[in-house]
Amino acid sequence: MKKKLLILGLLIGSLSFMAFKIFNTNKVTSCNKNLRSIKSNTCLGSDFLDFSNIVDPRDIVYKVESRFLSTISKSDLNKAETIIDILPKKATESIESYYYARVSILDDHVETDRRAYADSEVLTAAQIDLLNSTNDSGNIYIKSDYKIRGGGSLYDRQLTYFISIVPHQQAEYQDGHESMISYLREHTEEEVKIIKKGSLKGGKVRFTITADGQVSKVELTSTSGYPSIDKKLVEIVENIPGNWTPASNEEGEKVDQELVFFFGQMGC
């Protein structure tokens, strides 16, 4: 009798163990499925929170200066007799002779129909009159075909130059240039957080510092690629705090000066 009870006890224990194992196996399988589901959703969440494609604000360039890097003062422009007197020295030092020279007035970077031609580097009366008609601040374009010597031979080449005319004494922000750039950066902190790599264009805002030191004629001339940022750029230039010392000509008279606020990445 005891033997039969022992066998029956072992049988019941075995069946209980098997039932427990099957139950736990199903439970683990179910948990694993849930874990895989959670892991999959976590991956989607990681993609959503991936900021690696966002531009670092420190890589965004803020500049306020004349429209073009090459400049000439209005007083020097009025004394020019050849295009050599206007162009940077490095652009002309190796040139042997010129076929012609075209001088044009620009609207920002766009050539207007105000232009005159010469058959050499020497400015004609029409070109001199055209240049003298410009204001103390503006932009001009010079184009010429020429011959250059190299290795004992002459080669045909072409030059094109965009040049900004600047007053004899340029306008200055009284709190300092760096203070102005800091203001522009600080007041676009929120807007730049949406900029993605490869999508930022070279935004440009043109404005004038008048003869009485006021900011006027604020105009977006080139989009950043983000309308909300474009709007903000114009707004912060219109409301820049502090005072400006206006530009002046060679006689000391106060004159207007056109400046450009450049916003973008290196290479824009």
Side-chain angles (χ1 to χ4, degrees):
M1 183 67 180
K2 290 182 179 179
K3 185 176 183 182
K4 288 181 178 181
L5 289 174
L6 180 60
I7 294 172
L8 180 61
L10 291 172
L11 180 60
I12 292 171
S14 298
L15 289 173
S16 299
F17 176 78
M18 291 177 64
F20 178 79
K21 184 174 182 181
I22 291 171
F23 174 79
N24 277 322
T25 299
N26 290 335
K27 187 176 181 180
V28 171
T29 302
S30 176
C31 288
N32 285 340
K33 287 180 180 178
N34 290 334
L35 287 173
R36 282 195 294 271
S37 176
I38 293 171
K39 185 177 181 181
S40 177
N41 289 335
T42 302
C43 289
L44 290 173
S46 296
D47 289 342
F48 180 75
L49 297 174
D50 182 9
F51 295 107
S52 62
N53 196 40
I54 300 298
V55 169
D56 187 332
R58 293 171 297 182
D59 294 335
I60 298 175
V61 175
Y62 292 73
K63 295 191 300 182
V64 176
E65 54 191 30
S66 57
R67 177 62 180 83
F68 301 109
L69 289 177
S70 295
T71 63
I72 185 170
S73 69
K74 176 60 175 172
S75 53
D76 287 340
L77 184 65
N78 289 342
K79 301 171 187 175
E81 297 179 352
T82 72
I83 61 171
I84 299 172
D85 299 327
I86 303 172
L87 295 168
K89 184 177 180 181
K90 64 179 182 180
T92 62
E93 56 188 5
S94 300
I95 296 177
E96 291 279 330
S97 60
Y98 297 80
Y99 288 113
Y100 80 99
R102 181 167 103 208
V103 176
S104 309
I105 305 300
L106 297 175
D107 179 7
D108 189 55
H109 65 286
V110 179
E111 187 178 16
T112 69
D113 58 4
R114 296 177 61 197
R115 65 188 73 163
Y117 296 82
D119 56 10
S120 70
E121 74 277 16
V122 179
L123 296 171
T124 65
Q127 289 176 325
I128 291 174
D129 288 342
L130 180 65
L131 294 173
N132 286 341
S133 72
T134 58
N135 297 322
D136 290 88
S137 182
N139 303 293
I140 60 174
Y141 170 71
I142 294 178
K143 182 176 180 179
S144 177
D145 287 345
Y146 62 90
K147 284 187 176 293
I148 188 170
R149 185 173 297 279
S153 300
L154 289 173
Y155 300 92
D156 290 337
R157 294 288 186 270
Q158 185 180 84
L159 67 78
T160 58
Y161 254 89
F162 295 84
I163 302 172
S164 288
I165 305 167
V166 296
H168 181 73
Q169 181 65 48
Q170 298 191 56
E172 293 183 356
Y173 186 61
Q174 291 183 3
D175 291 338
H177 185 77
E178 290 305 316
S179 175
M180 175 174 54
I181 299 301
S182 295
Y183 161 81
L184 297 172
R185 281 190 178 277
E186 290 170 5
H187 285 76
T188 51
E189 282 182 345
E190 289 302 314
E191 285 74 16
V192 301
K193 290 178 180 178
I194 66 171
I195 298 175
K196 294 182 178 179
K197 292 179 180 178
S199 65
L200 182 60
K201 300 179 182 179
K204 299 180 184 68
V205 177
R206 178 171 58 185
F207 63 101
T208 297
I209 302 302
T210 64
D212 57 357
Q214 301 300 309
V215 177
S216 71
K217 299 179 182 178
V218 182
E219 176 189 9
L220 181 78
T221 59
S222 180
T223 179
S224 66
Y226 291 83
S228 61
I229 294 178
D230 291 343
K231 181 179 179 181
K232 187 66 174 181
L233 297 180
V234 171
E235 178 186 313
I236 60 176
V237 171
E238 288 177 333
N239 295 287
I240 189 168
N243 299 309
W244 288 81
T245 300
S248 58
N249 60 22
E250 197 170 22
E251 288 72 38
E253 301 168 331
K254 303 302 182 184
V255 296
D256 293 354
Q257 181 175 4
E258 184 179 281
L259 295 170
V260 176
F261 167 28
F262 296 86
F263 171 89
Q265 289 183 275
M266 295 300 292
C268 289

